[in-house]
């Protein structure tokens, strides 16, 4: 990761640690809202198969991406592989569109999803989450040749065409804070299945800005053709997503995250 991203994240590790608490569940069962014992079917399936099926969208470096050797890599990949190893499980990672991760969970194609997924109220209505493992900073990208300068407030986005990844937190953020607020017509909010396509359109001048996380933004800048024109407009907290009722599975994932925080593994992954 770039130096600024590392510094921002390491400053927030104390905040992350507050969310990394040991689990309070044992066995394959958890207490439901009525205080009755309820089985975790996802954990039962994972245990029976000895394998954790994971979904990601590998178009978002440095969190997840495909290397020149066609291997999956990135912070999220390292974290989930480490978690699976600590749980004594094999791991199978499926690369898919970001907006398909929720559906893949619903049909049991995957057991968990890790893909720089921000925790928010809307997602918590239909998904369950692990403890937060990363506090992210947002950014806006413009083409390197764009006359756009530093952007400090949302009003400056009026009249501009903004690209976001479909069903990402930036999609809902832009809809609520720009379109619904009357600062941007719906036609100027462009939604992409893959971030790569948004960046291509940005460089080509078909859109004016792309909203994403600071880490991927810095990676895009290093590759050339774009520049950062804003950040810290909408910070995020990332966690691993699963189906509601996956209490034992998430409890064990939280235990692994807690141990990784304690022994320095999580910090090392972030620094790398």
């Amino acid at each position: 990761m770039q130096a600024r991203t590392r510094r921002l994240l390491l400053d927030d590790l104390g905040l992350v640690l507050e969310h990394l608490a040991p689990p309070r569940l044992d066995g394959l069962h958890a207490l439901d809202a009525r205080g009755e014992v309820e089985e975790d079917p996802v954990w039962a399936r994972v245990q029976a198969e000895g394998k954790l099926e994971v979904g990601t969208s590998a178009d978002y470096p440095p969190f997840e991406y495909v290397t020149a050797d066609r291997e999956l890599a990135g912070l999220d990949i390292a974290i989930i592989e480490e978690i699976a190893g600590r749980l004594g499980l094999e791991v199978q990672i499926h690369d898919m569109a970001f907006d398909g991760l929720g559906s893949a969970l619903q049909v049991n194609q995957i057991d968990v999803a890790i893909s720089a997924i921000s925790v928010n109220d809307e997602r918590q209505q239909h998904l369950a989450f692990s403890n937060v493992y990363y506090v992210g900073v947002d950014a806006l990208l413009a083409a390197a040749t764009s006359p756009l300068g530093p952007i400090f407030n949302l009003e400056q986005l009026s009249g501009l065409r903004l690209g976001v990844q479909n069903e990402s937190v930036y999609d809902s953020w832009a809809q609520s804070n720009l379109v619904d607020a009357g600062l941007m017509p719906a036609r100027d909010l462009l939604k992409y299945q893959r971030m790569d396509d948004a960046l291509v359109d940005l460089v080509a001048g078909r859109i004016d800005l792309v909203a994403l996380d600071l880490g991927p933004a810095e990676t895009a800048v290093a590759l050339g053709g774009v520049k950062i024109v804003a950040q810290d407009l909408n910070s995020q907290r990332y966690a691993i997503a699963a189906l509601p009722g996956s209490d034992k599975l998430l409890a064990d994932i939280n235990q692994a995250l807690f141990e990784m925080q304690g022994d320095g593994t999580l910090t090392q992954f972030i620094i790398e």
Side-chain angles (χ1 to χ4, degrees):
M1 287 192 175
Q2 299 293 326
R4 176 168 172 76
T5 305
R6 292 200 303 267
R7 183 170 63 254
L8 287 168
L9 200 283
L10 291 174
D11 287 345
D12 284 326
L13 278 178
L15 180 61
V16 175
L17 183 58
E18 293 177 6
H19 296 272
L20 295 181
R24 296 186 296 271
L25 302 173
D26 296 308
L28 295 178
H29 301 83
L31 293 181
D32 65 15
R34 298 167 297 177
E36 298 177 358
V37 173
E38 186 178 86
E39 183 175 306
D40 177 352
V42 177
W43 178 245
R45 184 177 68 246
V46 169
Q47 285 289 87
E49 297 176 357
K51 181 168 62 175
L52 186 66
E53 301 283 354
V54 179
T56 195
S57 182
D59 60 347
Y60 210 56
F63 294 99
E64 44 271 325
Y65 58 93
V66 180
T67 68
D69 297 326
R70 307 303 300 169
E71 298 289 335
L72 291 174
L75 174 62
D76 285 346
I77 305 304
I79 286 175
I80 200 64
E81 288 180 341
E82 179 70 18
I83 288 173
R86 292 183 183 228
L87 299 184
L89 300 169
E90 296 181 16
V91 61
Q92 179 70 44
I93 304 177
H94 305 269
D95 182 17
M96 58 186 66
F98 186 85
D99 59 8
L101 292 172
S103 298
L105 284 169
Q106 294 291 338
V107 299
N108 295 319
Q109 180 182 355
I110 57 176
D111 305 310
V112 297
I114 184 168
S115 195
I117 301 172
S118 299
V119 181
N120 59 30
D121 292 340
E122 180 182 355
R123 286 178 176 158
Q124 287 180 308
Q125 292 177 14
H126 53 87
L127 292 175
F129 288 94
S130 71
N131 291 334
V132 172
Y133 65 84
Y134 185 98
V135 178
V137 178
D138 61 285
L140 290 178
L141 284 178
T145 56
S146 170
L148 292 174
I151 293 174
F152 301 105
N153 57 66
L154 299 183
E155 286 71 21
Q156 291 177 267
L157 303 184
S158 180
L160 301 177
R161 298 162 298 174
L162 176 66
V164 296
Q165 190 163 37
N166 191 42
E167 294 194 14
S168 69
V169 69
Y170 296 103
D171 180 357
S172 57
W173 170 80
Q175 182 67 44
S176 299
N177 293 278
L178 298 173
V179 176
D180 295 347
L183 294 176
M184 176 180 290
R187 67 176 180 274
D188 285 347
L189 179 59
L190 290 300
K191 304 180 182 185
Y192 296 83
Q193 276 203 327
R194 298 190 67 85
M195 183 53 65
D196 297 345
D197 296 331
L199 295 176
V200 168
D201 278 1
L202 180 65
V203 174
R206 289 185 284 269
I207 55 178
D208 302 302
L209 297 166
V210 169
L212 70 174
D213 297 300
L214 180 60
E218 290 179 328
T219 300
V221 169
L223 293 173
V226 297
K227 63 182 179 180
I228 295 173
V229 294
Q231 61 186 64
D232 293 332
L233 296 178
N234 182 32
S235 61
Q236 305 300 325
R237 297 184 180 191
Y238 304 143
I240 299 166
L243 284 179
S246 304
D247 302 284
K248 178 61 171 84
L249 174 60
L250 288 175
D252 279 11
I253 286 174
N254 286 341
Q255 177 64 46
L257 284 171
F258 184 76
E259 293 172 357
M260 289 164 63
Q261 174 65 42
D263 63 25
T265 302
L266 184 58
T267 302
Q268 188 60 41
F269 283 161
I270 291 167
I271 291 174
E272 293 174 354

